[in-house]
Amino acid sequence: MYVKGVNLGNWLVLEKWMSPGLFDGTTAEDEYYLPTQLPKEIYEERIRMHRSEYITERDFTRIRAMGMDAVRIPVPYFIFGDRAPFVGCVKELDNAFNWAEKYGLKILIDLHTAPDSQNGFDNGGISGVCKWSQEPEEVEFELSVLERLAERYGTREGLWGIEVINEPILEDMWETMHVQERYPAVDPEKAAGSKPNTIEFIRQFYLEAYDRLRKYMPEDKYVVIHDAFRLKAWKDFMREDKYKNVVLDTHMYLMVAEMAGCDQTIEGYVNYVKEHFEADIAEMEEYFPVICGEWCLFNSLAVGHDTKGGQTVLNGQEGMSEEAMSAEEKKAIYRAVAKAQLDAWKKGSGYFYWTYKMLTDTVNTEGWVGWDCWDLGRCVDFGWFPTRE
Amino acid sequence: MYVKGVNLGNWLVLEKWMSPGLFDGTTAEDEYYLPTQLPKEIYEERIRMHRSEYITERDFTRIRAMGMDAVRIPVPYFIFGDRAPFVGCVKELDNAFNWAEKYGLKILIDLHTAPDSQNGFDNGGISGVCKWSQEPEEVEFELSVLERLAERYGTREGLWGIEVINEPILEDMWETMHVQERYPAVDPEKAAGSKPNTIEFIRQFYLEAYDRLRKYMPEDKYVVIHDAFRLKAWKDFMREDKYKNVVLDTHMYLMVAEMAGCDQTIEGYVNYVKEHFEADIAEMEEYFPVICGEWCLFNSLAVGHDTKGGQTVLNGQEGMSEEAMSAEEKKAIYRAVAKAQLDAWKKGSGYFYWTYKMLTDTVNTEGWVGWDCWDLGRCVDFGWFPTRE
């Protein structure tokens, strides 16, 4: 098994920086606060239009033409439409399955958010809050979403697998990322009591989720578990025979490598990828098929200044207003880090690029120079990403 | 001069069939009636979201990567925001110029509609109405839009030219298309008095428009005139020395060839293109640089039934619910008609494919099988359109 894929980020789970038009006229920084700042009809219209235009049939033909086998689709906990004021999106996922099956792609459904959040990131739905795992009813709700997803899509030809929950955070990453400073909570009361999940909780959740998914999803479909940013913590996990086709997902970003001290030079990135990303995946591939479910070409060298772990104008950083590099220099950097990373993933069982598409306008809005490489479409257009490998 | 380009149809001038989500919950068939059926705030939100997501920076990088030199951008008469309830879109065009200049593309601004319409087509803005040329104040308004466009963009590096008005209809095409049956008017009173334009009017309008554009637009930028569906009627037009860089735009569709009796076989299309499209362009290239400003691969053979000139489920035709051909058969047809047409345009001065993108869902909505070829993105993805020629 080796999967080459791309994430459909920002389609059914929003990220402000990837689609600023959605947040126009509000101060909301995340999906949770968007409906609190808009009249109901406007909020619903905005979401409807976004979903109907952002990803459509033609994106599936494009992704196939890029040589990809699969898409990873982040979905929110309210996908089934039972958590007002949020709008469900199961119809959109239904459509995606029909497109995928027509054009020969597989879908990894990625349950990307949880009520009160599993990580406190903006892309977890509500910035600065991380309390989900302390709320048994919401944990059960999340399991019921997984079960319903399996029931609805478990036997679809287009299903590759279901990922139990995206990026549940543990203590180490909580500290490295300074989550509550980087993603300040809007409502301190709502955030009170936020803390990282425990690994004991995550393990227990994964075991329970496996059983709930397998009620409906045959064993030839993958159950995907995220490493919770601690790739090597899973050597003794799910060793029993009953666990079939469990895939371990790890997310590896050069901007995180930079925070760990990686040199911001081509050589620095390439060496770091080889010594850490590649070595760690090779080590863990002994225990599970390992995929790198999120990664991209982004790095501070190509941007032209240290982004301090990928912080943007939305985090109060200035950003670049002009290109720091020539087109040739950028191409050389991106091709080098693309090759190094693609080589690393080959020690495992595949990858999903983050992300297929974003609307961020690097020309007409200030401070976004260098962020276009998060968009696989643009990477392919510019010749930064080798579609024939 | 030879230009290879593509239209950004359905971005700033709407066509229901290309973006059904925009017309959701209404019975409107065209852009004119859309705001009459929606609350003002919903209408404006819908338009804003569509414009902010349908075409973005990444589409310009994609079009460049397809090997194109230019985009033709249809704009509405209300682009400057002075015709309520419609919403202006000059900001979007400003953005497009910045993208085009960054990524090495040129823009042909195409004034695509007029108040009370120049053709009665749905894409003229109001179905079944064709009265603009009988209304001197609206004729002057249209000229003022052209003048303002020239004033704003005339000296931009990214400007290729301005097209005076899209597809003003004359009597012959009015009858061939059965305009008032194909595009029934919603309000018979509003449609009363509709009739095709006269060629005398169109000629006079073109002369006046030329002068108004040249007040601001230097002579190295093109003034583009549409042939009003009568390509050979322009041999004695604008022969005087003062007219510089006037380009004649003709639109050539296989579905129109079918209405003229072209055999619905590969050989039939290829012969027809050679004998008519190519020969006519070669003949007129003696008088003007001739571009084919709209064309596509669409034909009834690949769809699997006679579409009677490209009529869809929106025209009450049934359409196909399953593919009539294998992928290989479709590819053979499309590649043959692509080659024939591209060869024909080479006798002139270039082309713009219609269109770059459409959202029409051929998988999840009934009756649209075969219509994907209007979308250049999909044509390239499927290998139907040769990007290296």
Side-chain angles (χ1 to χ4, degrees), chain A residues 9 19 26 28 36 45 54 56 72 91 133 139 152 184 223 249 258-259 277 281 295 309 312 318-319 374 376:
Chain A
S19 191
T26 77
T36 69
E45 183 65 20
Y54 193 78
T56 63
R72 179 172 179 260
K91 185 75 186 70
S133 65
V139 173
R152 192 175 186 101
V223 172
D249 175 21
E258 290 172 2
M259 291 164 82
F277 293 3
I281 286 177
W295 66 286
T312 74
E318 204 172 320
W374 290 82
L376 183 64

Side-chain angles (χ1 to χ4, degrees), chain A residues 137-164:
Chain A
E137 278 173 33
E138 297 296 19
V139 173
E140 172 53 34
F141 178 80
E142 196 82 350
L143 288 166
S144 87
V145 174
L146 290 170
E147 189 171 326
R148 284 179 281 168
L149 288 169
E151 186 174 6
R152 192 175 186 101
Y153 303 109
T155 59
R156 288 290 296 250
E157 183 203 332
L159 183 69
W160 190 84
I162 297 180
E163 181 155 358
V164 165

Side-chain angles (χ1 to χ4, degrees), chain B residues 269-321:
Chain B
Y269 296 128
V270 169
N271 288 343
Y272 193 97
V273 167
K274 195 160 185 64
E275 286 163 23
H276 297 274
F277 293 3
E278 183 170 320
D280 293 352
I281 285 177
E283 184 178 334
M284 288 308 295
E285 186 77 10
E286 302 289 317
Y287 301 89
F288 292 94
V290 180
I291 59 169
C292 181
E294 293 189 18
W295 66 287
C296 76
L297 304 187
F298 182 79
N299 63 78
S300 291
L301 174 63
V303 175
H305 75 133
D306 187 345
T307 65
K308 312 269 186 230
Q311 296 192 68
T312 72
V313 288
L314 295 183
N315 306 111
Q317 302 298 308
E318 203 172 324
M320 300 290 283
S321 55

Side-chain angles (χ1 to χ4, degrees), chain B residues 58-326:
Chain B
R58 75 195 298 277
D59 298 298
F60 280 70
T61 68
R62 169 97 162 112
I63 290 166
R64 193 75 188 105
M66 286 172 170
M68 296 294 169
D69 313 315
V71 288
R72 179 172 180 259
I73 304 186
V75 300
Y77 62 86
F78 51 79
I79 180 171
F80 289 103
D82 51 2
R83 302 290 300 230
F86 305 107
V87 185
C89 48
V90 78
K91 185 74 188 72
E92 283 78 0
L93 194 53
D94 289 349
N95 288 346
F97 269 92
N98 293 332
W99 296 326
E101 289 170 358
K102 171 138 187 181
Y103 298 116
L105 289 166
K106 299 286 185 190
I107 291 175
L108 168 56
I109 303 172
D110 153 42
L111 185 54
H112 206 75
T113 64
D116 285 344
S117 191
Q118 74 281 20
N119 55 31
F121 302 160
D122 57 343
N123 59 56
I126 175 164
S127 297
V129 174
C130 184
K131 299 200 302 191
W132 162 72
S133 66
Q134 305 172 47
E135 299 165 354
E137 278 172 34
E138 298 295 20
V139 173
E140 172 53 34
F141 177 81
E142 196 82 350
L143 289 166
S144 87
V145 174
L146 291 170
E147 192 172 321
R148 283 179 281 168
L149 288 170
E151 188 176 3
R152 192 176 184 101
Y153 303 109
T155 58
R156 288 289 297 251
E157 184 203 331
L159 184 69
W160 191 83
I162 297 179
E163 181 154 359
V164 166
I165 192 165
N166 182 63
E167 297 188 350
I169 201 162
L170 300 174
E171 194 165 7
D172 37 5
M173 185 55 92
W174 182 261
E175 280 164 15
T176 304
M177 289 279 284
H178 307 284
V179 171
Q180 290 186 298
E181 287 143 57
R182 183 163 174 165
Y183 303 107
V186 169
D187 177 356
E189 241 173 86
K190 190 158 177 60
S194 287
K195 59 182 182 190
N197 312 288
T198 66
I199 194 157
E200 293 74 23
F201 168 83
I202 298 298
R203 285 172 167 244
Q204 191 51 46
F205 181 75
Y206 284 176
L207 296 176
E208 178 74 18
Y210 182 93
D211 291 340
R212 300 282 281 267
L213 289 173
R214 284 288 182 231
K215 279 171 69 179
Y216 297 101
M217 193 172 76
E219 290 185 342
D220 63 320
K221 309 289 191 185
Y222 297 102
V223 173
V224 180
I225 58 173
H226 184 264
D227 70 358
F229 307 108
R230 207 182 282 172
L231 179 53
K232 299 194 193 163
W234 306 93
K235 292 182 180 175
D236 63 347
F237 189 61
M238 285 187 166
R239 296 295 91 202
E240 297 81 354
D241 281 347
K242 74 171 258 197
Y243 298 108
K244 308 288 192 213
N245 281 327
V246 176
V247 168
L248 185 61
D249 175 23
T250 189
H251 297 173
M252 293 182 160
Y253 284 109
L254 296 174
M255 62 187 184
V256 179
E258 290 171 4
M259 291 164 81
C262 166
D263 256 16
Q264 298 181 11
T265 60
I266 292 183
E267 200 184 12
Y269 296 128
V270 169
N271 288 343
Y272 193 97
V273 167
K274 195 160 185 64
E275 286 163 23
H276 297 274
F277 293 3
E278 183 170 320
D280 293 352
I281 285 177
E283 184 178 334
M284 288 308 295
E285 186 77 10
E286 302 289 317
Y287 301 89
F288 292 94
V290 180
I291 59 169
C292 181
E294 293 189 18
W295 66 287
C296 76
L297 304 187
F298 182 79
N299 63 78
S300 291
L301 174 63
V303 175
H305 75 133
D306 187 345
T307 65
K308 312 269 186 230
Q311 296 192 68
T312 72
V313 288
L314 295 183
N315 306 111
Q317 302 298 308
E318 203 172 324
M320 300 290 283
S321 55
E322 282 182 31
E323 298 282 357
M325 307 266 166
S326 70

Side-chain angles (χ1 to χ4, degrees), chain A residues 57 61 65 103, chain B residues 331 335 372 377-385:
Chain A
E57 179 181 355
T61 68
Y103 298 116
Chain B
K331 194 165 181 174
R335 291 185 71 100
D372 43 5
R378 299 190 222 188
C379 292
V380 170
D381 293 341
F382 290 132
W384 298 341
F385 189 95

